[in-house]
Every structure is written in structure tokens, then in C-alpha cells.
Amino acid sequence: MLSVLNAFNSFPLAALEVGHHFYWQLGNLKIHGQVFLTSWFVISILVVASIAATRNAQRIPKGIQNLMEYALEFIRDLAKNQLGEKEYRPWVPFIGTLFLFIFVSNWSGALIPWKLIRLPSGELAAPTNDINTTVALALLTSLAYFYAGFSKRGLGYFKKYIEPTPVLLPIAILEDFTKPLSLSFRLFGNILADELVVAVLVLLVPLFVPLPVMALGLFTSAIQALVFATLAGAYIHEAMEGHGGDEHEEH
């Protein structure tokens, strides 16, 4: 396993590095430790909330159970709107995981004073504040819609690259690269910009002005999670139905 990781390290994707980072060394591979720490924190919140909601489930939900059931219904409706009544159920866990992880990650950056926690180098921030996290989520989405297309249409999935004419083949291939790029940079750029604006305002006007900006940041953070999950569902539906497929069933 280490030899495989070392092989990846021999092909650096970029020589430019912005800021200081807290690294974990795994063989010759450097891992951004601060991203893993905050990601595990977000995952822990989701796991604890899920266990608390289902440990003693009641017929009339209340408290954390009511909150988690509302979140589940919201995610089901989101998946159903994008994928249709017949296709949405198997994709609820994937789309729901994307939405909840991004949502909690974004809000953790707005509500938790990560910068008060000192590290040997670098500083903690929301997981989605790091381009590595957003690219990983976008690549998972790409794998999901490729899998959806192959599982539903088989080799007929490749027809989309030459429809309506083979002349469009380069554009169709380019589209598959731009989808994860647009997803990752949109999420990363919005979260980073929001945290930078709040940081600057806290430095200049440390008491009253940052509060409405932070409230707006919570709203936009939720919207970014919704946009990412919605586009993921739309891409999966497009892969299953193709350019000439029937529209998903309205309800």
C-alpha cells in the first residue's frame, strides 16, 4: 500500500503551495492533517446524531429524532425531484451523505472558532475550505454518475459521446472533466470567500458588523450544500437517461 502511495507522490500535481499546513507523513506521502481532523469531527457529529435519533425511536418523533427525520424527508424529496419516482431510492444514501457532510462542514466553519486551536503549523478550518476536500467530493460524484450510466444503460452509455453527431465527441469528453471541476471550485470558492470576508471584518470592526455577515454566511453555506447535492442528482439522472431519454416522472 505504501509503495502505491509513494508512486503517486512521484508525480506532483502542482509545485505551488498557499499558506502553511499541518502534515502527517505516510511513507513519502504528505497528508494534510488539519483537513482530516476537521473532517473526522464532522463525521463524528453526523454519526452521533444518527445514533441518538435511532437509539430509542418513537412513533411520535421529538427532539433529535424529529430533526433527523425532517432531514431524511428533505433529502428524499431532493433525490426524487432530480431522479424521478422510479430511480431515486438507491441514490438517497449517496446524495444525503453529500448534502449532510457539506452542510455540517460549512456550518462548522461559520460557528466553530477553529483558529483558536493551535497546531504545530497551519490552522484548522472547515473541511470544505480546502480544495482537496471539494475535489474529492466532486470526483466521488463523477464516479457515481459513471456508475449510474453503466449500470442502467450498459455499453449504450457511450452513445452520449457521439449524439447527435460524432463531431461533438471532444466537447462531450470535455464536459465530463468540467463537471467535477465546476462542482469543486464553486464550493471551495464560496466557502473560502465567506471565511475571508468574516475574518477581515472581525479584524477591522470586531464586534457588531461581522454578525450579520456571519448570519448571511450560514444561509449561503446551506445553499452551497443544497446546490452541490442537487447538481449531483441531476448529473446522475442525466447519465442514466442520456440526452434523448424520457424526462423523469413528475409528482
Side-chain angles (χ1 to χ4, degrees):
M1 181 66 182
L2 287 177
S3 61
V4 174
L5 295 176
N6 291 339
F8 278 107
N9 195 55
S10 63
F11 298 97
L13 297 180
L16 179 63
E17 185 173 341
V18 179
H20 299 282
H21 300 282
F22 175 55
Y23 288 113
W24 290 340
Q25 195 77 26
L26 183 59
N28 291 330
L29 183 69
K30 286 185 177 180
I31 300 175
H32 286 197
Q34 74 268 27
V35 179
F36 277 87
L37 290 174
T38 52
S39 296
W40 290 340
F41 177 81
V42 170
I43 294 171
S44 299
I45 290 178
L46 294 174
V47 170
V48 169
S50 300
I51 294 174
T54 57
R55 186 176 183 181
N56 188 24
Q58 305 293 325
R59 291 182 62 87
I60 302 178
K62 58 182 179 179
I64 185 66
Q65 181 185 346
N66 190 40
L67 176 63
M68 295 302 288
E69 287 191 9
Y70 173 79
L72 178 59
E73 288 299 320
F74 176 81
I75 293 167
R76 281 178 177 171
D77 290 339
L78 174 63
K80 188 184 299 184
N81 289 334
Q82 296 303 316
L83 298 171
E85 183 71 34
K86 296 180 180 179
E87 304 287 353
Y88 84 95
R89 292 183 185 276
W91 293 101
V92 168
F94 177 75
I95 294 176
T97 300
L98 284 178
F99 175 79
L100 291 175
F101 178 79
I102 295 172
F103 179 85
V104 177
S105 295
N106 294 349
W107 273 42
S108 73
L111 296 176
I112 299 176
W114 289 115
K115 292 178 175 57
L116 296 181
I117 303 175
R118 298 294 182 181
L119 296 176
S121 61
E123 58 185 21
L124 296 176
T128 45
N129 190 30
D130 192 287
I131 189 65
N132 297 284
T133 302
T134 60
V135 168
L137 294 173
L139 290 177
L140 285 175
T141 303
S142 296
L143 291 176
Y145 71 70
F146 280 127
Y147 169 78
F150 281 120
S151 62
K152 180 69 180 295
R153 302 167 60 198
L155 294 178
Y157 176 76
F158 290 106
K159 289 183 180 179
K160 76 164 195 169
Y161 291 101
I162 57 175
E163 290 179 347
T165 170
V167 176
L168 298 178
L169 176 62
I171 298 177
I173 296 175
L174 182 62
E175 183 182 8
D176 283 338
F177 285 97
T178 57
K179 282 178 180 177
L181 282 176
S182 64
L183 280 175
S184 57
F185 281 103
R186 180 188 296 109
L187 179 59
F188 166 71
N190 280 280
I191 300 306
L192 178 62
D194 178 67
E195 292 194 3
L196 288 176
V197 168
V198 172
V200 171
L201 288 177
V202 168
L203 181 64
L204 297 177
V205 189
L207 187 56
F208 296 108
V209 174
L211 295 180
V213 178
M214 292 175 67
L216 179 61
L218 292 176
F219 175 74
T220 57
S221 295
I223 294 298
Q224 289 303 315
L226 177 61
V227 168
F228 197 104
T230 300
L231 289 176
Y235 293 158
I236 291 169
H237 174 260
E238 179 186 339
M240 290 192 295
E241 298 299 327
H243 295 296
D246 297 332
E247 291 297 321
H248 61 271
E249 182 179 333
E250 297 292 339
H251 66 286

